[in-house]
Amino acid sequence: MTQTQRSEKSKTSILEKAAAFIVDRRKAFYLIYIILIIFSIFSTGWVKVDNDLTDYLGDDTETRKGLDLMNEDFITYASANIMIDNVSFSDAERLRDIIEDTDGVKEVEFDDTTDHYSKGAALFGVTFSGTGDDKASEETLHKLEETLSNYDTYVSAEFGDMKANTVANEIKVVMVISCFIILTVLLLTSRTYMEIPVLVITFGVAAILNMGTNYFFGTISFISNSVAVILQLALAIDYAIILCHRYTEERETNGAREAVIAALSKAIPEIAGSCLTTLSGLAAMAFMDYKIGLDLSLVLIKAIAISIIVVFTLMPGLLVSFSPLIDKTHHRNFIPKITAWCNAVVKARYVTPFLFIIVVAAAFFLSGKCPYAYSYTNLTTIKKSDTQIADEMIKDTFSSSNILAIVVPSGHYDKEQALAADLEKYDEIDTITGLASVEATDGYDIGDMLTPRQFSELTDIDIELVRVLYGAYAADKEEYGRIVGGIDEYKISLAEIFDFIYDMSEDGYVSLDDDTKEDLDELKEKLDDGREQLESDTHSRLVLKLNISEESEETFEFLSTVRAEAEKYYDSDDIFLVGNSTSDYDLSCTFSRDNITISILSILFILIILFLTFQSAGLPIILILVIQGSIWINFSFPTIQNKPLFFLSYLVVSSIQMGANIDYAIVITNRYTELRKKMNKYDAIKDAMNLAFPTIFTSGLILASAGIIIGLMSSEPAIASIGTCLGRGTIISIILVMGILPQLLVLCDYIIEKTSFSLKDRLQNGGAENENK
């Protein structure tokens, strides 16, 4: 016995011992899984879901830095746009008062301009007393919806758990439909009816454990939370089917226990090899600058790993326990032979590969022109949520606005006013709101610089007392030259002198009459409210309402213009532009890097795995060409249709398509290389296609169906576009694997042989004589 044979025997022996341990300790494994399931049912409710994609921007992006500053320094109250159609202006005014008087509503923006009343419709800009994370804001919104239920009302708002709840309800429907399709496919491809309960239990346990163990990540994105379970079932179903089919084969000559042990020991290396390509494709996403890739990668890799563990440790025991029923429920094979297709593919081997090259070249060009979108503005979904319907109605009736915030160092009201004045000259800006420009009273803004005389006239405080107060302020700031040079010319911003006088009054150093004190209290309330939203000890923000689209080259260029204006007054490193448009711009910059990273890494990882699997330099290139070709064809559709594609869909689906669909190509190639040892290449490829078809049909149909259903049933553009692209890409991959790949294997048979690193029998059983017949 050679050393290699002894090594293989030792390896097989270890696998058989492990398989026997799992089978014989199946009740212990049942108990362990029951405990884990109970834990997971509870821990699923502990998982925090992040509904904001901007949270996954890189730490070095301007939007991320600006958002972090705003979250630390300012309060951003929850808001909603409520449109009431078919209402008179007088009724709209009455409804404004009702909305404003509702507990939890801070203020309502409504006037007689076309921005708020147009075509018999009223648009109310409602600001709530709580933030977007405050449950009270969501409760107030529901209260308003009930109050206005008798009117033709459209509510556009996304805060709290509103998006998560909508997506969760949609995914439940998707899961039900997907499970029905999976059961139907399993029924068609199974060999006994009682395999199905075993597979269902295996899938169910793996799904529950994956959802429950998301708790250990703390927070996951709403995308991962929504699609992980469905993709887990679609991507990992092969592993359970492989073990199940192995068991059925072994059961013909062995008892139930021995059959499971033999099947598991043989399936472990086969399943492990199959999952590596899927895991490598998913792992490539972890290297994205946009951290949603890492989030999806970790959740899906964990999902696949859990599925493999469940198949290896739970399913063997289930097969033994269900073996009496499995033995009694055999049925005929419902999947037909595809001999006619195989013959047609072989006959067309000199034509379609060249057409494939032309199509792939065109697809490469078209996919490079894909109209990517970085926001939801121009995206549409087949199913629409109430919020989407409301957004469309509001957009059609009123002009849409685009909000941009400029965050700058605080304490310079003169600079803020000057910047606001410079920006007002641009037609792209409708309004500018900053604390320095907020009107205090009698035509004075909070940031206006006032002399003692002006402040005295404004507040009706005696001029002599004001002079004393101005002097005290100068002394407090150690600006003694102001006192010596003449206090009457000393100018202080209204906000600063007001704060000083108010504090002096509160401490009892200044005595004011009741009317003046009441005016000061009113101004103090307005100033504090403005500061909560617009100023902190370190930063101020100016809020701009733009009349240009959220995502366009024009908008991105205007961001540079705004920054250039701000740099007249502040250092460039101290300026942060924050808004949907800046987020879109950052995502567009990140996408170009992530696209290259994922493409290179996914191909590199899989190329290495294929190289080691087939020990050939030629085969991996052929397989990669077919699957990469399917990716290019898939993403040429948006260009042909002139339909924007959410950028994240490309990054996620290209990784999954390369990692998962390559398995279909591996199945046929494995069969072909095995059969090629004993027959000519034409017979080998025909038999390989017939043998591989049930596996490819089962896995491909389930993955494609899951993707298409997600695309049809989800109103969330990011999730829907991932589903649509995944479904379409899987179908394209199946067609190429079952049509083009066999032809390339036959045509490149000589090259494959010459680039192989393993010694093997060239041809047996008359293969040489029949090779060219």
Side-chain angles (χ1 to χ4, degrees):
M1 183 181 294
T2 66
Q3 183 176 354
T4 302
Q5 289 173 325
R6 286 194 298 270
S7 175
E8 289 179 354
K9 183 176 180 181
S10 173
K11 183 178 180 181
T12 302
S13 177
I14 292 173
L15 290 178
E16 287 178 346
K17 288 179 181 178
F21 176 83
I22 292 170
V23 171
D24 294 337
R25 301 291 188 277
R26 59 186 177 276
K27 292 183 179 178
F29 281 104
Y30 291 166
L31 178 61
I32 292 172
Y33 276 108
I34 289 172
I35 295 172
L36 291 175
I37 288 171
I38 293 173
F39 168 79
S40 296
I41 290 173
F42 286 101
S43 63
T44 298
W46 304 337
V47 179
K48 296 180 181 178
V49 179
D50 191 337
N51 298 307
D52 190 353
L53 289 177
T54 60
D55 289 343
Y56 295 91
L57 285 168
D59 294 336
D60 59 341
T61 60
E62 181 178 16
T63 303
R64 180 72 271 147
K65 292 177 181 177
L67 285 171
D68 288 341
L69 281 176
M70 292 203 304
N71 290 334
E72 292 173 5
D73 292 359
F74 309 113
I75 292 179
T76 301
Y77 294 105
S79 62
N81 283 325
I82 300 178
M83 174 181 142
I84 300 179
D85 204 1
N86 302 313
V87 64
S88 66
F89 183 76
S90 58
D91 285 341
E93 287 185 309
R94 179 176 56 82
L95 291 173
R96 175 199 57 195
D97 296 336
I98 293 175
I99 296 173
E100 205 164 30
D101 291 339
T102 303
D103 290 339
V105 173
K106 183 178 180 62
E107 61 182 7
V108 179
E109 185 179 359
F110 177 78
D111 53 40
D112 59 357
T113 65
T114 55
D115 290 336
H116 292 281
Y117 189 81
S118 175
K119 303 174 185 177
L123 180 63
F124 304 96
V126 181
T127 301
F128 299 92
S129 300
T131 62
D133 297 330
D134 191 344
K135 285 287 185 183
S137 299
E138 195 170 342
E139 293 172 0
T140 302
L141 180 61
H142 293 322
K143 191 187 303 180
L144 289 176
E145 289 175 327
E146 292 178 5
T147 302
L148 303 172
S149 60
N150 292 329
Y151 296 88
D152 193 1
T153 306
Y154 299 90
V155 178
S156 173
E158 283 191 358
F159 52 80
D161 297 327
M162 296 173 66
K163 177 186 287 187
N165 293 336
T166 299
V167 172
N169 291 332
E170 291 172 350
I171 292 300
K172 288 177 184 177
V173 178
V174 172
M175 280 295 298
V176 171
I177 299 175
S178 298
C179 288
F180 174 77
I181 291 177
I182 290 173
L183 289 174
T184 303
V185 173
L186 292 178
L187 180 63
L188 292 174
T189 58
S190 65
R191 301 180 185 181
T192 71
Y193 291 115
M194 289 309 295
E195 288 178 8
I196 298 176
V198 173
L199 295 171
V200 169
I201 294 173
T202 303
F203 299 152
V205 170
I208 292 172
L209 294 185
N210 185 49
M211 290 188 292
T213 51
N214 285 334
Y215 165 70
F216 297 111
F217 292 138
T219 301
I220 63 174
S221 71
F222 72 94
I223 295 178
S224 298
N225 188 59
S226 302
V227 302
V229 174
I230 299 171
L231 292 182
Q232 178 186 12
L233 297 182
L235 293 172
I237 194 170
D238 287 353
Y239 314 142
I241 292 175
I242 289 172
L243 179 56
C244 207
H245 286 180
R246 284 284 187 182
Y247 167 74
T248 304
E249 294 171 2
E250 295 293 337
R251 187 70 178 92
E252 294 176 0
T253 56
N254 294 298
R257 176 183 177 277
E258 291 72 20
V260 173
I261 292 173
L264 181 58
S265 61
K266 293 177 181 178
I268 286 176
E270 184 177 354
I271 293 172
S274 176
C275 77
L276 281 177
T277 54
T278 303
L279 292 176
S280 62
L282 298 175
M285 290 193 296
F287 293 89
M288 289 167 52
D289 287 341
Y290 188 32
K291 299 307 178 185
I292 194 72
L294 178 61
D295 181 80
L296 273 165
S297 178
L298 292 175
V299 173
L300 289 176
I301 286 175
K302 177 173 64 66
I304 300 299
I306 288 175
S307 296
I308 294 172
I309 293 171
V310 172
V311 167
F312 286 166
T313 59
L314 176 63
M315 190 172 173
L318 295 175
L319 287 171
V320 174
S321 300
F322 279 79
S323 59
L325 295 174
I326 293 175
D327 294 339
K328 295 178 182 179
T329 56
H330 281 272
H331 61 75
R332 69 181 181 85
N333 188 0
F334 296 119
I335 302 297
K337 293 283 187 180
I338 56 169
T339 304
W341 173 260
C342 298
N343 292 332
V345 168
V346 172
K347 287 181 180 179
R349 65 188 180 277
Y350 294 118
V351 178
T352 49
F354 299 102
L355 294 177
F356 167 70
I357 293 174
I358 295 173
V359 170
V360 167
F364 172 75
F365 174 77
L366 291 172
S367 63
K369 300 293 184 180
C370 184
Y372 295 109
Y374 304 95
S375 68
Y376 291 172
T377 305
N378 299 319
L379 297 178
T380 58
T381 55
I382 295 175
K383 182 178 180 180
K384 300 184 186 298
S385 66
D386 292 340
T387 298
Q388 287 173 313
I389 294 172
D391 285 338
E392 291 181 2
M393 289 293 297
I394 293 172
K395 185 177 180 180
D396 291 341
T397 308
F398 300 92
S399 58
S400 58
S401 60
N402 179 11
I403 303 301
L404 175 69
I406 308 175
V407 181
V408 294
S410 61
H412 306 281
Y413 292 123
D414 53 339
K415 292 183 180 181
E416 291 180 36
Q417 286 187 321
L419 174 58
D422 288 347
L423 292 174
E424 283 177 349
K425 66 184 180 184
Y426 290 99
D427 295 334
E428 292 87 347
I429 301 176
D430 283 338
T431 62
I432 302 174
T433 303
L435 187 64
S437 301
V438 172
E439 184 177 358
T441 183
D442 292 344
Y444 285 104
D445 293 337
I446 286 175
D448 286 346
M449 307 296 287
L450 304 183
T451 63
R453 174 67 63 183
Q454 290 172 320
F455 188 79
S456 173
E457 293 173 353
L458 174 66
T459 59
D460 288 332
I461 300 177
D462 182 72
I463 182 62
E464 295 302 326
L465 176 58
V466 171
R467 289 192 179 108
V468 172
L469 292 171
Y470 265 56
Y473 178 87
D476 184 66
K477 299 297 182 181
E478 298 183 353
E479 297 179 359
Y480 302 110
R482 294 289 188 179
I483 302 174
V484 176
I487 205 69
D488 283 340
E489 302 303 319
Y490 186 22
K491 288 187 176 182
I492 307 173
S493 71
L494 176 58
E496 291 173 313
I497 189 60
F498 166 77
D499 283 337
F500 183 76
I501 294 175
Y502 186 86
D503 290 340
M504 294 284 283
S505 173
E506 289 294 300
D507 293 338
Y509 296 112
V510 177
S511 179
L512 304 173
D513 60 64
D514 292 342
D515 290 340
T516 303
K517 186 67 170 63
E518 185 178 343
D519 291 340
L520 285 178
D521 289 340
E522 184 178 339
L523 185 57
K524 173 66 174 175
E525 183 179 352
K526 181 182 292 187
L527 187 59
D528 287 346
D529 184 58
R531 279 177 169 156
E532 283 183 338
Q533 303 177 64
L534 300 171
E535 184 186 55
S536 71
D537 293 337
T538 55
H539 292 92
S540 295
R541 66 174 169 181
L542 286 75
V543 180
L544 282 58
K545 183 179 288 188
L546 310 181
N547 53 37
I548 52 179
S549 63
E550 179 181 313
E551 178 188 348
S552 69
E553 288 300 323
E554 176 194 3
T555 303
F556 293 160
E557 290 176 5
F558 187 67
L559 294 179
S560 300
T561 301
V562 172
R563 169 170 283 280
E565 292 289 353
E567 287 177 351
K568 294 179 181 178
Y569 305 99
Y570 303 94
D571 292 337
S572 59
D573 291 341
D574 294 332
I575 303 167
F576 299 96
L577 304 185
V578 187
N580 290 336
S581 293
T582 63
S583 174
D584 298 341
Y585 177 74
D586 286 337
L587 289 174
S588 68
C589 296
T590 301
F591 172 71
S592 59
R593 297 192 298 268
D594 288 340
N595 187 11
I596 296 173
T597 300
I598 283 186
S599 298
I600 293 176
L601 289 180
S602 59
I603 291 176
L604 181 62
F605 290 160
I606 292 173
L607 200 60
I608 293 172
I609 294 170
L610 295 177
F611 183 83
L612 297 174
T613 300
F614 293 108
Q615 298 184 22
S616 167
L619 273 175
I621 295 175
I622 295 173
L623 269 60
I624 290 289
L625 173 63
V626 171
I627 299 303
Q628 185 60 54
S630 71
I631 293 174
W632 286 332
I633 294 173
N634 185 17
F635 290 102
S636 65
F637 276 78
T639 304
I640 296 171
Q641 298 169 337
N642 194 25
K643 184 178 180 180
L645 173 71
F646 193 53
F647 78 103
L648 186 61
S649 304
Y650 179 86
L651 297 174
V652 173
V653 175
S654 61
S655 298
I656 295 177
Q657 196 172 343
M658 177 58 75
N661 293 172
I662 196 78
D663 283 350
Y664 309 154
I666 292 173
V667 170
I668 281 189
T669 305
N670 268 330
R671 293 286 189 178
Y672 175 72
T673 54
E674 291 174 3
L675 294 170
R676 187 67 183 93
K677 297 175 184 178
K678 357 181 229 193
M679 60 182 70
N680 67 66
K681 58 186 179 184
Y682 305 120
D683 291 336
I685 198 61
K686 290 177 184 178
D687 286 355
M689 291 172 68
N690 260 316
L691 291 171
F693 177 68
T695 301
I696 296 174
F697 174 80
T698 303
S699 178
L701 182 58
I702 289 175
L703 183 57
S705 299
I708 292 171
I709 293 167
I710 291 173
L712 292 174
M713 300 302 299
S714 178
S715 63
E716 174 61 31
I719 296 173
S721 59
I722 288 174
T724 300
C725 293
L726 182 60
R728 182 177 62 219
T730 301
I731 293 172
I732 294 171
S733 296
I734 293 173
I735 293 173
L736 295 186
V737 166
M738 292 300 298
I740 301 300
L741 178 61
Q743 296 173 336
L744 294 178
L745 291 174
V746 170
L747 292 175
C748 300
D749 182 79
Y750 179 78
I751 298 174
I752 294 171
E753 178 198 354
K754 291 303 181 182
T755 56
S756 174
F757 301 123
S758 61
L759 296 176
K760 54 187 178 183
D761 294 333
R762 176 66 185 88
L763 292 169
Q764 296 178 358
N765 300 330
E769 293 80 0
N770 298 315
E771 180 178 354
N772 296 313
K773 290 184 180 178

